[in-house]
Amino acid sequence: MALKALFLNCTLKKSPSVSNTEALIKKVATLFQLKDVETEIIRVVDYKVHFGVSSDEGEGDEWPKILEKIKTCNILIIGSPIWFGVRGSVTQLVMERLDGTYAEADKLNGQYPLYNRVAGVIVTGNEDGAHNVAAHTLFNLTHLGCTIPPNADCYWVGEAGPGPSYIEAGGDKHLYTNRTARFMVENLTFMADQLQRHPITTNLNMLNQQAEEVS
Amino acid sequence: MALKALFLNCTLKKSPSVSNTEALIKKVATLFQLKDVETEIIRVVDYKVHFGVSSDEGEGDEWPKILEKIKTCNILIIGSPIWFGVRGSVTQLVMERLDGTYAEADKLNGQYPLYNRVAGVIVTGNEDGAHNVAAHTLFNLTHLGCTIPPNADCYWVGEAGPGPSYIEAGGDKHLYTNRTARFMVENLTFMADQLQRHPITTNLNMLNQQAEEVS
Amino acid sequence: MALKALFLNCTLKKSPSVSNTEALIKKVATLFQLKDVETEIIRVVDYKVHFGVSSDEGEGDEWPKILEKIKTCNILIIGSPIWFGVRGSVTQLVMERLDGTYAEADKLNGQYPLYNRVAGVIVTGNEDGAHNVAAHTLFNLTHLGCTIPPNADCYWVGEAGPGPSYIEAGGDKHLYTNRTARFMVENLTFMADQLQRHPITTNLNMLNQQAEEVS
Amino acid sequence: MALKALFLNCTLKKSPSVSNTEALIKKVATLFQLKDVETEIIRVVDYKVHFGVSSDEGEGDEWPKILEKIKTCNILIIGSPIWFGVRGSVTQLVMERLDGTYAEADKLNGQYPLYNRVAGVIVTGNEDGAHNVAAHTLFNLTHLGCTIPPNADCYWVGEAGPGPSYIEAGGDKHLYTNRTARFMVENLTFMADQLQRHPITTNLNMLNQQAEEVS
């Protein structure tokens, strides 16, 4: 079955504003398509996503629409801007909402909904902070059930201080970013394919029971 | 072939001082042994490891001895104390030395020596900082070539402020730590086994060449 | 003139939901009142604050109401929950909106509006992440113009993993938190008083000009 | 009395190796000298500093020599390289050793030795991570007693990925770095002068006693 990659663009700016993060996301999406991976890009801020840590925060909350897509993708990629050296508020909002998935574990094996998905991260900023954004975001995603293959991130940042962003600076030509985009696509696809063929067999419920018995 | 798990205990204290991080490492090691995974624990500070970012910093440098073991394990686990909310200096020293492995990529496919290894992290502190330590350490290890399965970390920290450490506080009985220790062991073993059967096929050299051509 | 302390409670939960962060904020506010410092607590999520990085994001944006209070306080305290080991999305939203103040520098000396204010941070979470939240938040506030005296943070977190929050856990009795609450109040008040008497004389415009000339 | 600024250069490289961090430190030192502030630069790795968290780790430990200078400066500036997106191991080692100063509080008012000192940070890296290094380092220094004025950091980083370092890249001409160097020097000097005239009066012992009584 064809693999599906879902990109959550966590820019602060609603459509149709230009998003630098989206420019890099689109580049990566094209690389996935060349490998016959289906792609979909969601700009989170175009939806009405409430603050909260459950999977449904009530009337008017459009997070459930996004979550449904997350649950059926093979490859989840968070696209985040950097603000003040850390991940933007919309990225953080998305992570907080994913907290709700812990409560939706599989009844038999206890695995959370994001198990057997692979995750990557795309970061853009006019300067500094990409490691911080990528590290925390990928780590959080492992807690939620995702597997992270090697070189699963791709970012562009400029020199110290304010300056042009990805598009204006011609980040499109930046070799390091273009190289890591390819590494990311190849490794995420490889690992997603592996997990589709050989899903993780861990029974969290059983392990939890063992932990309760001995400790 | 039997899987091998290598633990680098990055405590600041030389043997035979008691290390809280080692206490938790040993617990996890025992769980690996029950799954027929071979284990070895190295207390880094017992070796004379020089500061630097290459794989051999010259006369008297004992890092090459440790690195040799890293290159032949299937599962690499960094055990780190927390100091001032971040990873200890010995952990950071270890990461810096691993920077040297980028220069030892496979000639044919360009993969770094840590490719096809899985990684996890164990953190202890009397309080606060485990997410920070785990996030940065696991992320750095993905850059170096490691794969991170879900729930690949295990930590113990106490309440806010100074207080007893893992051993004294009876962290041994802490359910969350014991539960995540089991999740970590099961998932690392599963993924290491998968990577042994189906190594990552990515050719970084070829992708790098493609990036150079188009950008 | 009496000093004024403004607390921004960045909980994700709207009033009248119980906020653990607010419980600790109120404790600190009471300590300020004993020193004749006026206090005001704003729960940010009760206002309609748009995503963005300017001081006014247009129709319906209520950030300008909050910003007005920020500009006239002497002591600014960010109260933040921890989610996934880092500061919550509402805290990040507040920092992003403060980015707009760079554009409102004093015409003569170039100082940003937050110059001559002191800042502190209050953090609550059921576990781990307080150092990360405090470090980034206080650092961002120095960029924006605030001065940070010693021991300007106060936090409560529980042991590793899910567990009761500040109120339920009886964090109210936690000595470290109560001690640092007092350190924070005393030092912030001292420094705010000093800055009221002896404002910072730095002329950023002049220094900027010097930098442009030589570099 | 003349103010004194002490720079701890936390490069990994021993003298006489060229240190990019030192190049930027020297630039900032020159700016201090123009304001009649005495300056001293210590390259920490040239001393034999043991791992540990006390102020004297026994035979051969040369940290006490450095600590003596720290205790008598007015302005403490940590110069740090970035490795793997976070502060280098020598910087972390320095922070860990400063942990020992908590035990040397003033008998009467309980203030730690770093009280009434101001602190700043200088960061260089070929790319990404400066915010992380600065945020954690300045925050840690507030815990230890330092005051942080506005704009107390100065850094240079290049674009995403490997690339030339500060000296080779001509970071010397980078306007943002040169501007913030001046902001830092002016504000640190102003605040150090204020603290020399009006030392912090907080009695930590008394506040601690109050906290113990009520909680």
Side-chain angles (χ1 to χ4, degrees), chain B residues 92-118:
Chain B
Q92 178 64 16
L93 168 60
V94 162
M95 300 313 298
E96 288 164 358
R97 295 307 303 272
L98 286 172
D99 201 51
T101 63
Y102 285 128
E104 304 175 58
D106 183 272
K107 289 218 173 67
L108 293 177
N109 63 19
Q111 292 185 3
Y112 319 129
L114 267 61
Y115 257 72
N116 294 308
R117 269 149 258 304
V118 299

mmCIF file of all heavy atoms in Angstrom, chain B residues 92-118:
data_model
loop_
_atom_site.group_PDB
_atom_site.id
_atom_site.type_symbol
_atom_site.label_atom_id
_atom_site.label_comp_id
_atom_site.label_asym_id
_atom_site.label_seq_id
_atom_site.Cartn_x
_atom_site.Cartn_y
_atom_site.Cartn_z
ATOM 1 N N GLN B 92 28.333 15.674 27.503
ATOM 2 C CA GLN B 92 28.616 16.607 26.412
ATOM 3 C C GLN B 92 29.959 16.276 25.758
ATOM 4 O O GLN B 92 30.101 16.308 24.525
ATOM 5 C CB GLN B 92 28.611 18.046 26.948
ATOM 6 C CG GLN B 92 28.951 19.123 25.919
ATOM 7 C CD GLN B 92 27.953 19.234 24.786
ATOM 8 O OE1 GLN B 92 26.830 18.729 24.868
ATOM 9 N NE2 GLN B 92 28.354 19.875 23.704
ATOM 10 N N LEU B 93 30.930 15.945 26.575
ATOM 11 C CA LEU B 93 32.249 15.529 26.077
ATOM 12 C C LEU B 93 32.107 14.317 25.141
ATOM 13 O O LEU B 93 32.726 14.260 24.063
ATOM 14 C CB LEU B 93 33.130 15.192 27.280
ATOM 15 C CG LEU B 93 34.455 14.466 27.084
ATOM 16 C CD1 LEU B 93 35.396 15.258 26.203
ATOM 17 C CD2 LEU B 93 35.109 14.190 28.444
ATOM 18 N N VAL B 94 31.302 13.364 25.534
ATOM 19 C CA VAL B 94 31.090 12.169 24.714
ATOM 20 C C VAL B 94 30.466 12.546 23.362
ATOM 21 O O VAL B 94 30.892 12.085 22.296
ATOM 22 C CB VAL B 94 30.189 11.151 25.458
ATOM 23 C CG1 VAL B 94 29.594 10.125 24.492
ATOM 24 C CG2 VAL B 94 30.989 10.462 26.551
ATOM 25 N N MET B 95 29.464 13.423 23.408
ATOM 26 C CA MET B 95 28.823 13.832 22.150
ATOM 27 C C MET B 95 29.843 14.541 21.249
ATOM 28 O O MET B 95 29.885 14.302 20.042
ATOM 29 C CB MET B 95 27.629 14.749 22.422
ATOM 30 C CG MET B 95 26.515 14.139 23.272
ATOM 31 S SD MET B 95 25.974 12.474 22.788
ATOM 32 C CE MET B 95 25.368 12.812 21.135
ATOM 33 N N GLU B 96 30.642 15.406 21.851
ATOM 34 C CA GLU B 96 31.643 16.134 21.062
ATOM 35 C C GLU B 96 32.631 15.177 20.393
ATOM 36 O O GLU B 96 33.011 15.366 19.237
ATOM 37 C CB GLU B 96 32.388 17.129 21.959
ATOM 38 C CG GLU B 96 31.534 18.327 22.354
ATOM 39 C CD GLU B 96 32.069 19.136 23.527
ATOM 40 O OE1 GLU B 96 33.118 18.741 24.097
ATOM 41 O OE2 GLU B 96 31.431 20.131 23.913
ATOM 42 N N ARG B 97 33.016 14.145 21.126
ATOM 43 C CA ARG B 97 33.955 13.194 20.541
ATOM 44 C C ARG B 97 33.303 12.391 19.411
ATOM 45 O O ARG B 97 33.969 12.015 18.438
ATOM 46 C CB ARG B 97 34.526 12.256 21.628
ATOM 47 C CG ARG B 97 35.390 12.964 22.693
ATOM 48 C CD ARG B 97 36.508 13.799 22.082
ATOM 49 N NE ARG B 97 37.395 13.044 21.236
ATOM 50 C CZ ARG B 97 38.474 12.394 21.653
ATOM 51 N NH1 ARG B 97 38.794 12.414 22.940
ATOM 52 N NH2 ARG B 97 39.239 11.749 20.808
ATOM 53 N N LEU B 98 32.007 12.150 19.534
ATOM 54 C CA LEU B 98 31.313 11.424 18.468
ATOM 55 C C LEU B 98 31.262 12.236 17.170
ATOM 56 O O LEU B 98 31.048 11.689 16.082
ATOM 57 C CB LEU B 98 29.898 11.034 18.913
ATOM 58 C CG LEU B 98 29.840 9.880 19.921
ATOM 59 C CD1 LEU B 98 28.414 9.704 20.457
ATOM 60 C CD2 LEU B 98 30.322 8.564 19.294
ATOM 61 N N ASP B 99 31.460 13.540 17.291
ATOM 62 C CA ASP B 99 31.509 14.397 16.099
ATOM 63 C C ASP B 99 32.565 13.880 15.113
ATOM 64 O O ASP B 99 32.427 14.024 13.895
ATOM 65 C CB ASP B 99 31.877 15.832 16.522
ATOM 66 C CG ASP B 99 31.466 16.870 15.485
ATOM 67 O OD1 ASP B 99 30.295 16.846 15.061
ATOM 68 O OD2 ASP B 99 32.312 17.697 15.105
ATOM 69 N N GLY B 100 33.588 13.270 15.656
ATOM 70 C CA GLY B 100 34.662 12.743 14.816
ATOM 71 C C GLY B 100 34.218 11.628 13.886
ATOM 72 O O GLY B 100 34.857 11.377 12.850
ATOM 73 N N THR B 101 33.108 10.966 14.225
ATOM 74 C CA THR B 101 32.685 9.828 13.393
ATOM 75 C C THR B 101 32.137 10.251 12.036
ATOM 76 O O THR B 101 32.086 9.443 11.114
ATOM 77 C CB THR B 101 31.622 8.952 14.101
ATOM 78 O OG1 THR B 101 30.434 9.727 14.325
ATOM 79 C CG2 THR B 101 32.142 8.442 15.438
ATOM 80 N N TYR B 102 31.723 11.508 11.926
ATOM 81 C CA TYR B 102 31.264 11.986 10.606
ATOM 82 C C TYR B 102 32.355 11.788 9.554
ATOM 83 O O TYR B 102 32.078 11.593 8.378
ATOM 84 C CB TYR B 102 30.908 13.476 10.651
ATOM 85 C CG TYR B 102 29.610 13.807 11.341
ATOM 86 C CD1 TYR B 102 29.553 14.768 12.345
ATOM 87 C CD2 TYR B 102 28.417 13.192 10.955
ATOM 88 C CE1 TYR B 102 28.359 15.106 12.959
ATOM 89 C CE2 TYR B 102 27.215 13.523 11.574
ATOM 90 C CZ TYR B 102 27.188 14.485 12.571
ATOM 91 O OH TYR B 102 26.004 14.817 13.173
ATOM 92 N N ALA B 103 33.590 11.873 10.012
ATOM 93 C CA ALA B 103 34.722 11.768 9.083
ATOM 94 C C ALA B 103 35.053 10.321 8.725
ATOM 95 O O ALA B 103 35.961 10.067 7.937
ATOM 96 C CB ALA B 103 35.948 12.457 9.696
ATOM 97 N N GLU B 104 34.342 9.392 9.327
ATOM 98 C CA GLU B 104 34.636 7.976 9.079
ATOM 99 C C GLU B 104 33.491 7.292 8.335
ATOM 100 O O GLU B 104 33.177 6.126 8.584
ATOM 101 C CB GLU B 104 34.881 7.263 10.413
ATOM 102 C CG GLU B 104 35.990 7.892 11.257
ATOM 103 C CD GLU B 104 36.118 7.216 12.618
ATOM 104 O OE1 GLU B 104 36.354 5.993 12.652
ATOM 105 O OE2 GLU B 104 35.949 7.905 13.644
ATOM 106 N N ALA B 105 32.860 8.030 7.447
ATOM 107 C CA ALA B 105 31.717 7.482 6.713
ATOM 108 C C ALA B 105 32.155 6.338 5.806
ATOM 109 O O ALA B 105 33.296 6.285 5.351
ATOM 110 C CB ALA B 105 31.055 8.585 5.893
ATOM 111 N N ASP B 106 31.218 5.452 5.545
ATOM 112 C CA ASP B 106 31.454 4.345 4.626
ATOM 113 C C ASP B 106 31.761 4.898 3.232
ATOM 114 O O ASP B 106 31.055 5.774 2.737
ATOM 115 C CB ASP B 106 30.192 3.466 4.588
ATOM 116 C CG ASP B 106 30.368 2.250 3.700
ATOM 117 O OD1 ASP B 106 30.102 2.367 2.489
ATOM 118 O OD2 ASP B 106 30.785 1.203 4.221
ATOM 119 N N LYS B 107 32.803 4.383 2.614
ATOM 120 C CA LYS B 107 33.225 4.942 1.322
ATOM 121 C C LYS B 107 32.150 4.782 0.252
ATOM 122 O O LYS B 107 31.955 5.656 -0.587
ATOM 123 C CB LYS B 107 34.521 4.274 0.855
ATOM 124 C CG LYS B 107 35.727 4.701 1.688
ATOM 125 C CD LYS B 107 36.978 4.859 0.848
ATOM 126 C CE LYS B 107 38.108 5.457 1.692
ATOM 127 N NZ LYS B 107 38.579 4.542 2.770
ATOM 128 N N LEU B 108 31.446 3.658 0.267
ATOM 129 C CA LEU B 108 30.464 3.397 -0.787
ATOM 130 C C LEU B 108 29.153 4.155 -0.604
ATOM 131 O O LEU B 108 28.719 4.883 -1.484
ATOM 132 C CB LEU B 108 30.183 1.891 -0.873
ATOM 133 C CG LEU B 108 31.366 1.051 -1.365
ATOM 134 C CD1 LEU B 108 31.008 -0.427 -1.350
ATOM 135 C CD2 LEU B 108 31.783 1.485 -2.780
ATOM 136 N N ASN B 109 28.539 3.984 0.567
ATOM 137 C CA ASN B 109 27.206 4.587 0.715
ATOM 138 C C ASN B 109 27.190 5.843 1.588
ATOM 139 O O ASN B 109 26.139 6.435 1.805
ATOM 140 C CB ASN B 109 26.193 3.548 1.241
ATOM 141 C CG ASN B 109 26.556 3.049 2.631
ATOM 142 O OD1 ASN B 109 27.336 3.689 3.350
ATOM 143 N ND2 ASN B 109 25.986 1.917 3.015
ATOM 144 N N GLY B 110 28.350 6.240 2.091
ATOM 145 C CA GLY B 110 28.429 7.496 2.841
ATOM 146 C C GLY B 110 27.818 7.460 4.229
ATOM 147 O O GLY B 110 27.791 8.478 4.928
ATOM 148 N N GLN B 111 27.312 6.289 4.641
ATOM 149 C CA GLN B 111 26.694 6.206 5.978
ATOM 150 C C GLN B 111 27.753 6.354 7.076
ATOM 151 O O GLN B 111 28.840 5.795 6.985
ATOM 152 C CB GLN B 111 25.963 4.873 6.149
ATOM 153 C CG GLN B 111 24.730 4.749 5.248
ATOM 154 C CD GLN B 111 23.930 3.482 5.508
ATOM 155 O OE1 GLN B 111 24.255 2.700 6.412
ATOM 156 N NE2 GLN B 111 22.879 3.280 4.733
ATOM 157 N N TYR B 112 27.403 7.100 8.103
ATOM 158 C CA TYR B 112 28.310 7.283 9.241
ATOM 159 C C TYR B 112 28.344 5.998 10.076
ATOM 160 O O TYR B 112 27.412 5.192 10.024
ATOM 161 C CB TYR B 112 27.851 8.459 10.114
ATOM 162 C CG TYR B 112 27.383 9.650 9.329
ATOM 163 C CD1 TYR B 112 26.153 10.251 9.594
ATOM 164 C CD2 TYR B 112 28.146 10.185 8.282
ATOM 165 C CE1 TYR B 112 25.699 11.337 8.860
ATOM 166 C CE2 TYR B 112 27.703 11.267 7.538
ATOM 167 C CZ TYR B 112 26.475 11.834 7.840
ATOM 168 O OH TYR B 112 26.021 12.899 7.105
ATOM 169 N N PRO B 113 29.375 5.828 10.882
ATOM 170 C CA PRO B 113 29.518 4.582 11.644
ATOM 171 C C PRO B 113 28.336 4.234 12.555
ATOM 172 O O PRO B 113 28.113 3.067 12.838
ATOM 173 C CB PRO B 113 30.783 4.821 12.469
ATOM 174 C CG PRO B 113 31.555 5.832 11.706
ATOM 175 C CD PRO B 113 30.548 6.705 11.026
ATOM 176 N N LEU B 114 27.573 5.253 12.983
ATOM 177 C CA LEU B 114 26.472 4.933 13.898
ATOM 178 C C LEU B 114 25.179 4.531 13.169
ATOM 179 O O LEU B 114 24.180 4.189 13.825
ATOM 180 C CB LEU B 114 26.213 6.077 14.881
ATOM 181 C CG LEU B 114 26.974 5.929 16.218
ATOM 182 C CD1 LEU B 114 28.467 5.910 16.012
ATOM 183 C CD2 LEU B 114 26.585 7.009 17.195
ATOM 184 N N TYR B 115 25.187 4.587 11.855
ATOM 185 C CA TYR B 115 24.028 4.094 11.104
ATOM 186 C C TYR B 115 23.764 2.629 11.474
ATOM 187 O O TYR B 115 24.690 1.862 11.756
ATOM 188 C CB TYR B 115 24.277 4.205 9.597
ATOM 189 C CG TYR B 115 23.547 5.386 8.972
ATOM 190 C CD1 TYR B 115 23.967 6.685 9.204
ATOM 191 C CD2 TYR B 115 22.392 5.208 8.197
ATOM 192 C CE1 TYR B 115 23.287 7.770 8.659
ATOM 193 C CE2 TYR B 115 21.702 6.285 7.643
ATOM 194 C CZ TYR B 115 22.153 7.561 7.880
ATOM 195 O OH TYR B 115 21.465 8.630 7.345
ATOM 196 N N ASN B 116 22.504 2.289 11.458
ATOM 197 C CA ASN B 116 22.062 0.925 11.766
ATOM 198 C C ASN B 116 22.253 0.527 13.228
ATOM 199 O O ASN B 116 22.197 -0.648 13.569
ATOM 200 C CB ASN B 116 22.712 -0.089 10.811
ATOM 201 C CG ASN B 116 22.212 0.138 9.398
ATOM 202 O OD1 ASN B 116 21.016 0.189 9.178
ATOM 203 N ND2 ASN B 116 23.127 0.337 8.458
ATOM 204 N N ARG B 117 22.483 1.508 14.059
ATOM 205 C CA ARG B 117 22.437 1.295 15.494
ATOM 206 C C ARG B 117 21.178 2.009 16.034
ATOM 207 O O ARG B 117 20.719 2.975 15.416
ATOM 208 C CB ARG B 117 23.693 1.914 16.159
ATOM 209 C CG ARG B 117 24.862 0.933 16.279
ATOM 210 C CD ARG B 117 26.224 1.519 16.213
ATOM 211 N NE ARG B 117 26.838 1.323 14.911
ATOM 212 C CZ ARG B 117 27.020 0.143 14.319
ATOM 213 N NH1 ARG B 117 26.658 -0.972 14.899
ATOM 214 N NH2 ARG B 117 27.564 0.072 13.113
ATOM 215 N N VAL B 118 20.624 1.506 17.096
ATOM 216 C CA VAL B 118 19.514 2.217 17.737
ATOM 217 C C VAL B 118 20.055 2.856 19.018
ATOM 218 O O VAL B 118 21.064 2.390 19.564
ATOM 219 C CB VAL B 118 18.317 1.289 18.072
ATOM 220 C CG1 VAL B 118 17.749 0.678 16.800
ATOM 221 C CG2 VAL B 118 18.715 0.221 19.067
#
